[in-house]
Amino acid sequence: MSDVHARMEALEERLGDPFDAAGGAGFAAVLTADEREEVPVGGASALDEFGILSEFVPGALGGRLERVDHLIELMRSVYRRDPSLGLGHCSSSLLGAVNVWTAGSPDQRRDTAELLLAGHKVSCAFHELAHGNDIGSVEFAATPAEGRLVLSGRKESITNLDRADAMVFLARTDPDGGPRSCSQLLVPTADLDPDRVRFLPRFRSVGMRGVRLGGIAVDSFPVAADALLGAPGTGLETANRAFQLTRIAMPAMSTAMLDTGLRVTLHHMRARRLYGRDAASIPMVRTTLANTFADLLLCEAFGAVAARSLHALPESGSAYAPAVKYLLAGVTLDAFEQLSLVMGSEFYRRDGQHGVFQKMARDIKPVGFGHIARAACLSAVLPQLPVLARRSWRDAAPAPAALFVPDAELPPLDLPGLRVTAGGKDGLVMALNAALDDDVPAALRPLIERQIRGVRALTEACAGLKPRDLSIAATVEVRDLAARYTTALAAAACVGVWRHAPGDDFLARPEWLVAALTRLEGITAGQPVDVPDDVEGALVDELLSRDDRTVSFGISARQYR
Ligand SMILES: Cc1cc2nc3c(=O)[nH]c(=O)nc-3n(C[C@H](O)[C@H](O)[C@H](O)COP(=O)(O)OP(=O)(O)OC[C@H]3O[C@@H](n4cnc5c(N)ncnc54)[C@H](O)[C@@H]3O)c2cc1C
């Protein structure tokens, strides 16, 4: 199973047609399982038979993870059917594993790879309810004593704690605090002493109900000192590097929920007769469909480019990863709101052929706060803005074409090589300038020029920021600069994807880019803007054609079951 495209097809085939009422991973089974706060058994076993967790293990350790963009695209097949299956059965293990790939010893890497290759789960216990996004304040302690580390404390709202075979903990190893006061530990579940470790009752949630969100209370439980992942005190630094992958990959996988939301809305509107005609032809409905299609394309373009940047521009991941998480989460959440309005009363139903829409609308919510909150992403980008403005945004080298071309050769993924800060390096934004050298269609030129002017204004505003402006107490106006940076990056990604698309591809046509850049302008202005009338028809036609052919609505336009 070496070729990822063959694997994508095999996975789609194994999971089956989601609209087939008898399918083990179909929407009917997914909804029934969700009512029981579970995932569909048929879906879970199909994924196990496929060996889904091998997709998260680097090739060098015997797995099938070679490229982050490929991993994302493959996982969309799971998320489009059931996000609880996507997170709870699959990608939650990635959260723990990336830390092991980044900082683990050869033995820790091998042991974790063996677990995942055998289909066992790894949990990532970082958060504590008392501290939320402020993971530097965790109280769960690993205290040195007689050559061992004694664990004590609680972790809550963690996926799969009670059914993982290993856990990665973020623990306080230095009670005095500071950036090097936390460490990570890899602990096999089999080692846990039931007299000293207690699993807490499961949390119940309105979305992702099939995900087992639990907690653990640990009372003076000793583990060997070699449970540490990396050197003592490097826990936060490791997370900062390793989570660049997950903060790009997981929101990017989540766009598959929007694909399903859009598909179900389209099916409903195409079948619905109102005022003597198809509801899909009502202008406001068409505009919402076109807007959502453009939103999905721009999200996936940005996600794919950022994923490839982890290979090709690894120094920039600390800026791109929170930008992706912030922008993709915001756009998909807003798009679901708009689709819900079009679905009308059908949105409200938990059963029937469109019942999966409300499940997707609920399951999409954690994309805005799970793993890291959108606002915290802006806080992570903010301190980097002045140096990015001074060093990169005026005259950076143009971005490598491989960022924009699916399957172009990329350097291997080097997780330990990722940096905690970008050091002012950002090649992506300059892809906007490169586009103007070409014979740009008239409809596009003003949009790209406005983006370039926007980057110039951002550069002026950011170059003068002082350290005191950039703390957690930054004003809303200053935080807005970080948000504007995320839309500029997304615009550059879309322009690059358009420029490098093969001539006969929909992505090589200007209409989708006009739509995407228009939508991004609306996001920057904080005032949504509909796709222009003169491109709406091309977008709706493409959407209907893809729906008829059961092709994905995202940038890959690949065959779905
Ligand atoms: C489905 C699901 C699965 C999960 N799985 C795991 C898991 O496997 N492992 C794990 O460790 N955790 C997991 N979590 C926990 C999750 O990541 C929590 O959401 C996290 O603890 C953040 O806490 P909070 O949402 O309560 O936000 P808080 O940190 O309490 O934040 C509340 C609000 O304050 C603001 N804010 C917070 N920080 C900042 C900042 N830096 N800058 C600006 N504003 C800020 C934001 O508006 C934010 O929404 C999971 C959560 C969910 C929903």
Side-chain angles (χ1 to χ4, degrees), residues 366-381:
V367 76
F369 58 82
H371 199 18
I372 183 172
R374 293 184 70 223
C377 290
L378 293 187
S379 295
V381 172

Side-chain angles (χ1 to χ4, degrees), residues 87 95 124-128 131-134 157-159 208 211 213 366 369-373 375-376 379 472 479:
L87 177 69
L95 288 172
C124 177
F126 278 31
H127 289 101
E128 296 168 14
H131 304 290
N133 285 274
D134 181 13
S157 105
I158 310 294
T159 304
M208 291 284 193
V211 171
L213 269 182
F369 58 82
H371 199 18
I372 183 172
S379 295
I472 192 81
R479 299 173 66 80

Side-chain angles (χ1 to χ4, degrees), residues 134-145:
D134 181 13
I135 58 171
S137 296
V138 293
E139 291 173 74
F140 187 96
T143 311

Side-chain angles (χ1 to χ4, degrees), residues 126-194:
F126 278 31
H127 289 101
E128 296 168 14
L129 277 187
H131 304 290
N133 285 274
D134 181 13
I135 58 171
S137 296
V138 293
E139 291 173 74
F140 187 96
T143 311
E146 297 168 8
R148 312 193 83 189
L149 289 165
V150 180
L151 308 186
S152 285
R154 291 164 70 95
K155 295 281 181 187
E156 300 109 338
S157 105
I158 310 294
T159 304
N160 285 336
L161 262 180
D162 61 345
R163 59 175 190 165
D165 284 86
M167 296 165 191
V168 178
F169 287 109
L170 183 69
R172 177 161 302 283
T173 38
D174 181 353
D176 291 339
R180 294 183 74 85
S181 60
C182 294
S183 305
Q184 293 189 25
L185 297 100
L186 175 66
V187 180
T189 309
D191 290 359
L192 297 179
D193 174 354

Side-chain angles (χ1 to χ4, degrees), residues 172-406:
R172 177 161 302 283
T173 38
D174 181 353
D176 291 339
R180 294 183 74 85
S181 60
C182 294
S183 305
Q184 293 189 25
L185 297 100
L186 175 66
V187 180
T189 309
D191 290 359
L192 297 179
D193 174 354
D195 289 336
R196 298 189 175 278
V197 175
R198 188 165 49 91
F199 289 104
L200 304 173
R202 180 180 172 172
F203 280 89
R204 299 187 68 205
S205 57
V206 291
M208 291 284 193
R209 294 197 294 192
V211 171
R212 295 183 71 88
L213 269 182
I216 196 169
V218 182
D219 179 17
S220 301
F221 172 61
V223 295
D226 66 4
L228 280 173
L229 277 178
T234 57
L236 293 173
E237 186 201 312
T238 299
N240 273 333
R241 291 184 293 139
F243 285 162
Q244 289 171 32
L245 191 155
T246 46
R247 284 171 185 162
I248 291 170
M250 291 174 63
M253 292 171 190
S254 299
T255 62
M257 293 185 230
L258 187 54
D259 189 303
T260 293
L262 181 54
R263 202 170 294 270
V264 171
T265 308
L266 197 54
H267 290 180
H268 179 43
M269 288 294 102
R270 293 181 88 176
R272 185 105 172 126
R273 298 278 300 169
L274 289 172
Y275 313 103
R277 56 179 172 166
D278 284 353
S281 63
I282 296 174
M284 279 189 72
V285 171
R286 278 172 65 85
T287 302
T288 302
L289 295 172
N291 286 345
T292 310
F293 185 28
D295 291 348
L296 183 55
L297 290 169
L298 77 87
C299 283
E300 292 200 2
F302 188 21
V305 168
R308 292 179 203 131
S309 79
L310 289 175
H311 299 255
L313 301 173
E315 63 281 359
S316 302
S318 65
Y320 298 166
V324 166
K325 165 83 193 197
Y326 174 81
L327 191 90
L328 266 59
V331 173
T332 45
L333 288 166
D334 289 348
F336 255 100
E337 286 297 320
Q338 295 307 310
L339 289 178
S340 305
L341 298 177
V342 170
M343 287 294 284
S345 63
E346 198 68 4
F347 161 63
Y348 210 57
R349 291 188 58 176
R350 283 158 64 177
D351 57 7
Q353 59 175 325
H354 304 137
V356 74
F357 186 94
Q358 54 76 32
K359 173 172 158 56
M360 291 289 169
R362 283 185 284 112
D363 285 1
I364 192 74
K365 294 287 184 196
V367 76
F369 58 82
H371 199 18
I372 183 172
R374 293 184 70 223
C377 290
L378 293 187
S379 295
V381 172
L382 204 49
Q384 307 214 41
L385 294 183
V387 67
L388 284 165
R390 288 195 291 268
R391 293 203 193 143
S392 277
W393 297 344
R394 292 193 174 108
D395 53 7
L403 285 187
F404 309 110
V405 181

